[in-house]
Every structure is written in C-alpha cells, then in structure tokens.
Amino acid sequence: MAGGYREDPLAYGDYHQRSHAREDEGGYEGDERGLIGDTYRKFRGRATGQNSIGNAPNGRPEQSSGLVSGLFNTLHGAVHELGSEVRQRVAGKDRPTSHTHSTANCHDNMHNSAQNRFGSFAAQRSGNNVKWYVDGCGYMWAVSRALEEARESIWILDWWLSPELYLRRPPAKNEQYRIDRMLQAAAQRGVKVNIIVYKEVTQALTRKYLSPTVPRYLHSLLPRHTDSFSSALCHMGLTATFSSLEYAESKNQLMEPFIPVCSSHTKHALENLHPNIAVFRHPDHLPDAQTVQSSLISSLSNLSLSAKTAASLPMDALKAVYGMNDDVILYWAHHEKLCVVDGRTAFMGGLDLCYGRWDLNQHPISDCHPLNLEDTVFPGQEYNNARVLDFQDVSHWQNNKLDRTVNSRMGWSDISVCLRGPVVEDLRAHFVERWNFIYNEKYDVRKDVRYSRLTFAQNETGAFQQRPMSSRGPQEYEEASQSQRYESFQSSPSPSASQFQVPGQYFPPPSSRGVDSDEIEGDPRGFGSFENQHRRHHHQPLEEGIDHLTDVVRGRFGDRMHRMEDRHDHHNHLHGSVQDAGIACQIVRSCAKWSHGVLTEHSIQNAYIDIIQRSQYFIYIENQFFITATSDAQKPVMNKIGAAIVERIVRAARAGERYKVIVIIPAVPGFAGDLKDDASLGTRAIMEFQYNSINRGGYSIMESIANAGFDPTEYIRFYNLRNYDRINTSGTMREAEQQSGVNFGAAQQQFNDAVELPTDFPNRGDDGQGRGFTARQQDYDQYQRYAYGMNNQPGMDGGRWDSVSECYMLGDADIRSVPWAGGNMSEMDAFVSEELYVHSKASSAYQVLIADDRIVICGSANLNDRSQNGDHDSEIAIIIEDPTPVESSMNGRPWQAKKFAVTLRRQLFRKHLGLLPRQDMGRPDNNFEPIGVPNSYDFGSEEDGLVTDPLSDGFLAFWNSRAHQNTYAFGKIFHPVPHDDVRTWKDYDQFYGSFFSKSGKKAEGKDGQEIPAKYNWGHVVAENFSAGQQGVGEMKELLSTIKGTLVEMPLLFLIKEDIAQEGMSLNAFTEVVYT
C-alpha cells in the first residue's frame, strides 16, 4: 500500500498538489484490501522481480519465483472481485451513515430520526450545573464523595470496572475508599446498586463457522458465463482462503480480546458483597456454526459477482461475516462511562472506574518507595504498562508480573465531567433503557430476585421531548417525521413501560421490585435550577403530598432553593459578576439494536460534523484515535468528520481567514509492544488507518487541503504526549534490603497482596488502622521496620524524590539538582520514558472537542467508525454550552469566550505545556470536589496569559517550539518509536530495534546463543552520552529542557512501508474491526 510513496514531508510544509488518479485506474493492486490482496502482490512481485511492499516487518526479504504469476493473476481476479464486493458492503459503500451530505442525516428507516438537534434521543436542556475534571485523581475523589453520600441508588455503566480500584490514594491511608468497599457500604445502607459492564470476548471467531459451507455457496454465485478454468481457480482460491484462515486461527486466534477485563470477576466479586448489588454483563458472544452459516447463506441469496448489477446485501449477512449475527455480537463493545447517584448527580466522560485510569496532572510513571512501602500509589495490577505487558489475570489481585524496579508504568491523560440538572434526566432514561433491554434479553428468564426491571418516574421537566432550545441544528432534525420520534413520557400514578418506550423497543410492565428513585422515602426529587417553560402538573398519590409540595416550591423558586439545598453550592463571582448556573447541555449517543434495542443513532457524529462546520476560528481535539474519511474513496472508513474538517479549513483559506485545528492523539494507539511483532498487527492496522486519515493514501485531510491549493500545516497540526521519570532504585533501597535481609520486591508483593485483598476474603485481618493486612506479612513487616528506622536518619529525603515527574511541571524543581544516592543501578539507567496515553474524547475514552472556546463535546466516543457510526460500539457524550461570558481574545482581537469551555481548554493546554504545578493527592482543592463547588482557575496569572489566545502568533510559536524541543530531547535520550527518523523497517531496526528489540526477553545471537537486549524498554540509550558522571550530567542537562509532555506527532514514521500488511488476520472481512 505504501510502496509507491516517495519521501515527501507533506506534513511539515513541503506540500504539493496531488491528483486522485487512482480513482480512474483499473486493476486490483493497491486499491482495495481483498481476501488475498497482499499474497497476490507478493507472488506478482516475484514474477516481475519487484517488491511492491518492501521487506516484511520481520525483516525477511521475499524470494523470487515466476512460475505462478499467470495462475495467481487469474485466481486473484476471480476471488478478489467477490471479496471486494463483500467488503464494499462491510465498508458501507452505499450506506447512509457515510454522510456525504452536510446535514449528516439518514433516511433509510433504519436510523433514529428524532426531532431533536443532531438527531439525538434527547433535547438540549438549560439550567444545568457542570464541572470538569482533568485526569483521574480529582475525578475519582469526587466520585468517592458522591458514593459516600448516596442514599437511594447508584447506577454505573462502564466498559470495565475493577472492584479493587482505590478512588483515593495512597491506598494504605484510604482503605475505605476502595470501590467494592464503598459499594458494599452503600448497599448496607439500603442503597440499590445497578451496574452494567461490557462482557468481553473470551474466544475468537474461527473460520470453521464459515467453512466449508460458505465458500461452496459463494462459488455457486459465479455468473453462468464464467469459463470453467476461472471457475475452478475461484473454487480453489475460496477453499484455500477459508482453510488457511481456519489453520491460522488454530495457531493464532484471528481476533484476540483487546484487553482481559474479566467482567465475570467484576460481577461475582461485587454481587457476593450484598443482595442490593446487581451486575449485568452484555453482550453475549459466539453463535453456533449452523446459525452463522444459514444466516449468511440466506442473506447472500441476492448477491451477484458483478459489481455493476449486485443486489443490496442485507446487513445481517455482513454482521455474520465478521461475527455479528442479530443478538450475537463479537467485536463491538459497550464503551460508555456513566455513574448516576440518587438520580440527581451524574458523572460521565472518558474515565472507567478501573485499573490504569487513576493519575495525577504530572503523570508519575515511577512508584518505588524504598523508605516507606505505604507511600505506594499504584499497588499490584494498578502498576501497569500495556506497552510492556498488558493486564494479566486481573481476577487474581496478587498477580502482577511487571517489575516496578525495572519498568515504568504508563501515564493516563483523561477528562470527565460531573452534572446536575435537567440533563441528568436523559442520562437516567438512557440507563433505564439499557438496563431493561438487557434484562428482557437475558436476565428475565433467570427469575433471580436480585434482578428486576427499573422504572422511570418522570421528573416534571419531562424527558426526551423538550423542544430544542437552539436553532443551530440542521433543519432536517426539526422536520423529522413524527412517526419516528421518541414517545413522550406520560405521567401516571403507576409508572408503566409506555413512560419510557421508544419505537422498536419493548419493555414489559415493571415488576414490583423496580427501583424508582423519585419515590423513595426521605429525599424528594426534582431540580431547583430547571428552566422549564413547558411545566405540566401531575396528580400525585396522597402519601406523596409532602414530596409533591416540595417539588412545586422548588420548581417555582428554581436556583435559590437548589443552592440552599446543597451544602456545597454557592455563588461564584467571576470578574465581578455572579456566575449563572444555567448551562445548556444535550446528551448525544451512539447506539443501535444490538446495544440498546433501538434504531441506529449516531448523534455524536452528527454533532461533531455540525460543530466543526459552524466553528468560527478554532477547533481543539483530544482523542484516543483519529480514523476518519474525507470521501467515500477511503473505504472501509465511513464517518465523515474528516470531510467536515477539510471543508471548514478550505472555506477559511479561500476567504483569507485565520483558522486552526489542533489535534492530540496517542503516539501508539491500542497499546502493543514491539511494533514489529506479529502480535502488534492490530496496532499497526490502526496506525495505518490513522495515517491514511491524516497525511497519506491520496485522500487524507492534509492531502485534500494541499490539493485545494493551500498549505495544510497553516491550518491543522497533530501532536502526541510523552513524559519521563526516575525509578528510585538508589542506595536507599540497597541499604534497606541489606539491613532487613528482605528483597524490596518481596516486601512490595506482600504489601500489594494486603491492599488488594477482596472485601469478603475469609482470613482478612486488620492492623488497627483499617488496613486489611493478613498474618502472611513477615517480609513486609521486617523490611518496613528497617526502612522506617532509616527514614529518621539525617540526610534522608523521606521519599521526596521517589518520582521526579514534577521537574517538567511548573515550580522550582530542577532535574539537574535532584540528588541520587547511588545504588542498585546507575542514575542514568534509572531514568525511563513512556508515551502518555491520551484517552480523552473531547471521544474514549477522555474524548473532547472544544470549538472557539465556547462549546465542548465530552464523552466516551473515539474518533473512529467504531464509536461514531452508531451500530458498532455504544457511546455517550454531552454537548456543553455555558452562557457565562469570559472576556478573552482570539487572533489578537477581543473575544467573548464561555467559562466552561475556556477554562477547560486553558487547563489542558497548561498541563501539556508544563504550566501547572504538580498535583498533590493529599491536598484536595476545589477541582477534587463534586458538583456544587465550582472549578478553580487562576484567571489573569502569567501562565494563563500564555494560553489565552490560541490563534496568536506568540502562542503558536510557544506551543510549537516547546513541542519541538521536547521531541528532540526525548529522541536523543530514549529513542522512542514512532519517530520521524524511522521511514522504513530498516530504519526501525537501526534507530530502535538494535537497542530494545525483545526488551525484557533475549535476542538470538549469530552463534546460536541467546543474548540480552542492550537496554530495557523505555530506558536511556547511554551510548549517546559520555561515560560516567559526565554522561549523566549531559543527559540531565538535556532533560532539563523538557517542559510539559507535548511532542510532535511523527507523520513520516514508516512512510515508505505498508505498516499493516494484510494476510490471514487482516483482510476485507476483518479490517472493519480496526476502524
């Protein structure tokens, strides 16, 4: 695919106009990924003496042979036409969700066409209070406060939930804030806890489900005029393809689960704590072979091999092809992150309540504390680096194979929000729909008293059917057919299914055990800040008269009563004016029949496209992925967010307007270890799709802008995040080990065992301070006793420099003056670096988009087809439009920004640039608190001034120069990949592989003996510096130039290679999973 590229640094300003000549070229080579596409090119290359794709990632060159060229030409022609046709259906060549038109609206009777803006199930609602959280420390503290104060209900919707997760750190001082203990305590208080988690794939799809029946049937679809020779070759090709896939999967599963989340452990660990805790896992997986075969064959009945006359292929067939058949889903996931407490306070965004998500603003990646093990912040499985070793056996808390004295953890950058107000009603409705849909599908038949349907008693603001309060949405949303709109919720003394039923979804009458948080005694519901002009009065049961009276009074007096009720709420003065609590919010989502029992809704994608198109000056995006299309030519990618970006940039360029798009994504998405390993195919596939979205392949965003005659780098730039730290394996650790006679690792393991014991562990003891230590802690006790004694000696720093991550943040810490005691390894060997994983979604997951410092989209959705198309992963997001004005500037001119958007954007920019002080987990500030205590931001500070105007020349120069310097320093010291100096796999070996290949393992030597890699993963390439202390000084001098975590995205990485070679695991049937 990449063999034709010449070294062209388009992404760095040397752009040229490219034609889309490939649209008119015939043949199969390079245009589409077929069933045997790369195999064909390999054989053809052998016959012609060409190597069209370069060496394979493993470095072995292809052998030449001209004997099979003609045979393979014919075979490929016959099979590829069939594969391409099926793939076109999978890729959605003619599917409405490709959104080639500006309104991004669908008219196929398979999609939700609600009248609300962006085609959402929910209307925009004013009168809300919203608060942002940057990174997991403050967010999880706020969640812990809400769980601690829960009185009626806790509803959690997560991709992954880890029962042993500590919401406050360090764990030794916060045992009661482990999430399983918090949920158990709530359940014991009478709180009903309902949790939905994604049920992961535990077994890969194998082609034995499809072979041999399917290839025989596909062969029968050949046109009658097909000559016998071609027919025979096609039969051979189909049989060989499916047999090869089956064999390959027997050795290496076609689609491994991306991460072993172990939802079974989540369910049983929590449900065993108390009968008030109920956990649903969804979806179920793996149909039987007969079901798949019969469904596929019946669905393919109208398929013709002629692309010109092919009948429309039903979606059920396509789902069956890659493992999704009606109610059986293999590779799509529930990806939402949502927590609703007492039906009143909601948390949502990019943060799951699971391992690996808790982090501080400075993102320490070292956690060795030789003077006090109780300072450990990331115990056991929490100390994780998926680039080295993914989570292993998470159901056994004591197992952690990552050695923290050698390996760093991976930092996690994320965003979430806390909400209160009318918009929470829509989140409640969303959860109730999902819960009851899953209950009807799989739990009703179990007749377990723990499980029951949820009822949704309507709040007086209503749900779903409030008319949009903004005219910004496309006109189509306002004019949608009434027959396809959501049913409005009707009030009745006894709530029934019709109160929350939507077209195509049926909820049987609720059972007597349904949870109605509006009717539980002791806490009258209703939100004082609602601005509802469509208020309707309802008849209430006599016994609820007092509650009803309270609702009426609070509804009439609005904000005043709400602020009086909440002990945290108070006026927030901004530049002399009182902040209005009435923030306008709208919930958008991606969901479909399999995930939610509704027509397909992709209102998140609609919102992205519309907000980008309507933005005036500036778009800022942070996301875990960036896979999008500018046209239908970029099959199999379907979402057209890229097209919206190109259209808006070209429009600005032609008008002579200044316009900028800044995008931050992870350097390596989807984890994986050595990118050259076969196990990293999935990551390489994602990277290929991302590069083809950004600057390669002929239809990318940057190429499209260049083809319009403009320099893309003047309008859009891409960045990653990276950080460093120092593992404290100094003389302090060596001395403590010698005096105690205990290895640090053994003592650390016993500490991990103690803090991660299950709440219901039968032999769980207590040390008198609420810590769950057991009798089996001799090594820990002995080590800790001597370490405490050393800590009181003169000259000891008390663990002050167990992490040096604050050195690249705002403050007085200078890495050049940080002491080192010497010890088990040299100081140079103790430094480590890793990518800072961007998970925000502003997708998911933290996914955020900020436009013009006025509007924010935040939620779980990634910027890819899986999250955006609606019928793949389920997602939820919120659009936030705060009316509170903030005087700012844009492009050197006065600009009235909005408080929520501008403070969030400036906080993020300052964190990435190192303009925030280190965050102290032991000193919670306003940004740790739940809703009611407003966010703190230091308007007018010197650092604030540096990020005020995102379009000014001064800011852009500062931003880009800091990213450039950080990139240079990291490259010189650590040789990370991806990197712009790596254009080929040969470059990869020279720049990275020769130092780190098989890091942590042993590499094979020429003499047949095994030799270790030169350096451990992520460590300093010491040979770039002088020997001894002089070299350490040189390295620390260069480290001192790193400020913040912002680095340039290497857009030339492997530009001369096909990053993800197709084959048995990546082909027309499977590539959709990676988009």
Side-chain angles (χ1 to χ4, degrees), residues 891-958:
N891 195 23
R893 299 176 181 178
W895 177 252
Q896 191 175 87
K898 302 302 180 181
K899 186 184 179 187
F900 184 90
V902 75
T903 54
L904 175 57
R905 197 268 302 167
R906 292 185 191 180
Q907 185 83 358
L908 289 169
F909 276 23
R910 288 174 60 179
K911 188 187 80 155
H912 301 330
L913 292 166
L915 299 177
L916 290 178
R918 75 180 183 96
Q919 192 175 28
D920 188 340
M921 73 188 88
R923 295 183 177 180
D925 56 25
N926 286 357
N927 294 336
F928 284 59
E929 296 295 332
I931 202 77
V933 178
N935 285 118
S936 293
Y937 185 81
D938 56 342
F939 285 105
S941 66
E942 180 181 353
E943 293 75 28
D944 176 57
L946 291 172
V947 299
T948 295
D949 188 342
L951 259 61
S952 70
D953 290 335
F955 165 77
L956 292 171
F958 177 58

Side-chain angles (χ1 to χ4, degrees), residues 608-626:
Y608 265 71
I609 291 172
D610 184 77
I611 290 171
I612 290 169
Q613 289 176 333
R614 295 173 183 270
S615 61
Q616 294 179 254
Y617 295 106
F618 174 71
I619 289 288
Y620 176 61
I621 295 173
E622 284 191 24
N623 211 287
Q624 184 180 6
F625 300 107
F626 193 88

Side-chain angles (χ1 to χ4, degrees), residues 125-129 344 420-423 461 526-532 535 554-563 565 569 580-583:
R125 303 184 186 281
S126 62
N128 300 285
N129 199 355
R344 184 166 181 263
R420 186 173 294 164
V423 72
T461 58
F527 300 97
S529 61
F530 282 12
E531 296 177 359
N532 180 13
R535 185 173 299 278
R554 289 164 65 194
R556 197 163 288 181
F557 287 95
D559 293 343
R560 282 180 290 169
M561 290 299 294
H562 179 70
R563 286 193 292 269
E565 176 203 49
D569 283 2
D580 182 9
I583 297 177

Side-chain angles (χ1 to χ4, degrees), residues 493-494 519 538-550:
S494 300
E519 296 180 356
H538 304 286
H539 296 290
Q540 302 287 337
L542 182 61
E543 59 268 26
E544 294 181 25
I546 296 178
D547 287 353
H548 175 57
L549 177 60
T550 304

